[in-house]
Amino acid sequence: KRIRCPLCGSLNTKRDGKQNGHQKIKCKDCKKKPIINGKEKKNAELLKAHLNRNSFRILQRETGLDKATICSSTNETAKSLIHSNDLTALLKPQNYCGVVLIDGKYFSVKGHKRGCVVIPFIDYLTHDIPVHIFAYSENMVDIREGFERLKAIGYPLRLVVCDESMGEIAAVAKEVFPDVIIQICLTHYMKNIEREFKVKNAKRRIKSLKKKLKNIGESILISSHKYDIEKARNLTNEIADLEFEYGYLIEVHDVFQRIFWSVSAEKELDEAEYDLNLAISKMDLKTYRYAERIQKRYLDYYEKREQILTFLKFPEFDIPKTTNLIEGFNSTTLEVRLSSIRGFENEENAENYINALILKRRFQKFTDCKKKFKKLNGKSPLQIANPLNDFGYDFNSNGWINFCLNLKS
């Protein structure tokens, strides 16, 4: 049975004696003679299985080892992996597009009330993560470090897409990359509007009442159908009350939705903003119950208008309006895996494990990309990023853990 080369992942090898009791092999692809350490190989397999969503309990049942031993083994192996940021610097990927999506993900760490946060910087077109930051909060000092790391590896940053709640990212980004453009994530911005206006339930209730009214039909025209007439009167009064209370909120909410998701040209934007200003002008700001909410969001929109409408100003960049790509990574890769762990004993274990998860993501082939990203299927993010130096690694193999262990050593 051929032994896989831990350096490049090739199976084109042959045994080459032993050294200190460990098997040596000769790789015909990378021309090197690595030593196969049985314990390291076993630890690498345990980490790989755990990262693939096998819990410590499942691994205990499959291997016969106790959970403490498995936990210690995975922590030890994760600690020995090269840092993902250093891997980027070594491999020198050449295919980055210059559009970065940024969003943080918090997780539980013992001794930290809010936990810690990982902030990945994801390249839009390759889906690779050239840089990530481990921090105690989404603060500008650590985010600045992320931008400085991007500059150090020669990343061609042109545009940043981020959540408005992450702070003054624009100012920090421009300190490091003076010509960078900022696009606020419109999904987050719209969710903030919905959270403030609270019109979803009102819209749903009005829609339901109108449907009931429609079902009564022409029955109300028959004078003897007093029950239907009374029911229609009550429904109409309730609809009128809801529209009186929430009408302006719903109107402004719908105009914002139109601006974010339907507008594709300056003329359409002018028409939408005219309707927004018209809705505000019809409102009595002194007496309307929710005037303060609307006024606050209206002023905030015009304050951040340039960063909200970047996608319209630079159509040639094919700018993403949302951070959905990074949200998917945070929810499917990080949250699903971390939810079963429930927390880390210390910052070191947390940082090492998060680094291992990100490395796995960078080497893992895509299988379900859709629409314009369908062409990425069958390749890993790092492979798509086209590294200048691959150190003989075979991206069709699954030997990324050994590869990352050997790069660090």
Side-chain angles (χ1 to χ4, degrees), residues 7-30:
L7 302 179
C8 69
S10 171
L11 280 171
N12 190 16
T13 64
K14 69 174 185 177
R15 298 173 188 267
D16 192 37
K18 292 190 176 183
Q19 182 174 322
N20 297 329
H22 299 302
Q23 180 68 56
K24 286 177 65 180
I25 62 170
K26 183 178 182 180
C27 179
K28 296 178 183 178
D29 287 344
C30 68

Side-chain angles (χ1 to χ4, degrees), residues 157-169:
L157 186 64
R158 298 179 299 160
L159 173 80
V160 172
V161 185
C162 61
D163 174 6
E164 61 164 336
S165 67
M166 286 189 72
E168 299 299 324
I169 287 183

Side-chain angles (χ1 to χ4, degrees), residues 334-352:
L334 294 181
E335 189 171 337
V336 171
R337 180 61 277 179
L338 297 179
S339 61
S340 65
I341 296 175
R342 299 181 183 177
F344 295 93
E345 279 294 317
N346 54 61
E347 298 94 332
E348 182 184 15
N349 287 348
E351 185 171 7
N352 292 334

Side-chain angles (χ1 to χ4, degrees), residues 236-249:
T236 304
N237 288 338
E238 189 175 351
I239 290 170
D241 288 342
L242 286 169
E243 288 182 339
F244 177 78
E245 182 174 0
Y246 294 101
Y248 286 127
L249 277 173

Side-chain angles (χ1 to χ4, degrees), residues 197 199 202-203 206 242 246-255:
F197 286 12
V199 295
K203 289 177 75 173
I206 290 171
L242 286 169
Y246 294 101
Y248 286 127
L249 277 173
I250 292 172
E251 187 176 358
V252 173
H253 171 276
D254 290 349
V255 173

Side-chain angles (χ1 to χ4, degrees), residues 81-93 96 118-121 129-134 142 145-146 149-150 152-153 351 355 358-359 362:
L81 295 172
I82 188 171
H83 196 285
S84 180
N85 296 348
D86 297 332
L87 179 70
T88 306
L90 279 175
L91 298 189
K92 295 181 170 56
Y96 289 141
V118 57
I119 307 172
F121 290 63
I129 307 175
V131 165
H132 75 271
I133 298 299
F134 178 90
D142 289 309
E145 182 189 342
R149 286 182 177 274
L150 285 177
I153 63 172
E351 185 171 7
N355 180 62
I358 289 175
L359 285 170
R362 298 184 73 183

Side-chain angles (χ1 to χ4, degrees), residues 58 99 113 173 178 267 400:
I58 291 173
V99 178
K113 190 173 182 180
K267 185 179 178 181
W400 67 270

